[in-house]
Amino acid sequence: MSYDNNNIFAKILRGEIPCKKIYEDQFVLSFHDINPQKKIHALVIPKGKYVDLDDFSQNASPEEMVGLLKGINSVAKKLGISVNTGKGYRALANISEDGGQEVPHLHFHLFGGEKVGKMVSE
Ligand code: AMP
């Protein structure tokens, strides 16, 4: 699948749509999910144009890969859910059709602030 420049997260990255920003650096942007599924539900997205985790794994630079992982940790620390600042969380990426991905720009969900329950529901 080629990258759709009009997906909602691309618009957020361009500043065309507002978001409740949590954290930003040269590699990632993080903001609160508009429809939170847990007490804390953050999204972390790379700034590069990657459709999903497979696209990212195959095409991102080593710097972007490290930047995304470090970005997730920075967000978790800032939200007080990392192992250093809190009680932990779940990081999850939905990938394509069977993964239930709705927005075609790679994003990690961070769920926390409470026990997040079983790993897979339904
Ligand atoms: P996924 O199903 O993994 O693609 O998740 C997409 C997520 O994006 C869902 O949890 C939505 O609630 C969230 N979402 C959609 N539009 C927005 C938006 N404008 N701002 C923040 N989160 C959004």
Side-chain angles (χ1 to χ4, degrees), residues 54-65:
D54 282 347
D55 182 18
F56 187 78
S57 302
Q58 290 167 54
N59 298 310
S61 68
E63 291 75 19
E64 289 175 303
M65 293 184 187

Side-chain angles (χ1 to χ4, degrees), residues 82-96:
S82 76
V83 293
N84 315 95
T85 61
K87 292 184 170 176
Y89 60 101
R90 176 171 297 149
L92 179 150
N94 294 319
I95 299 160
S96 202

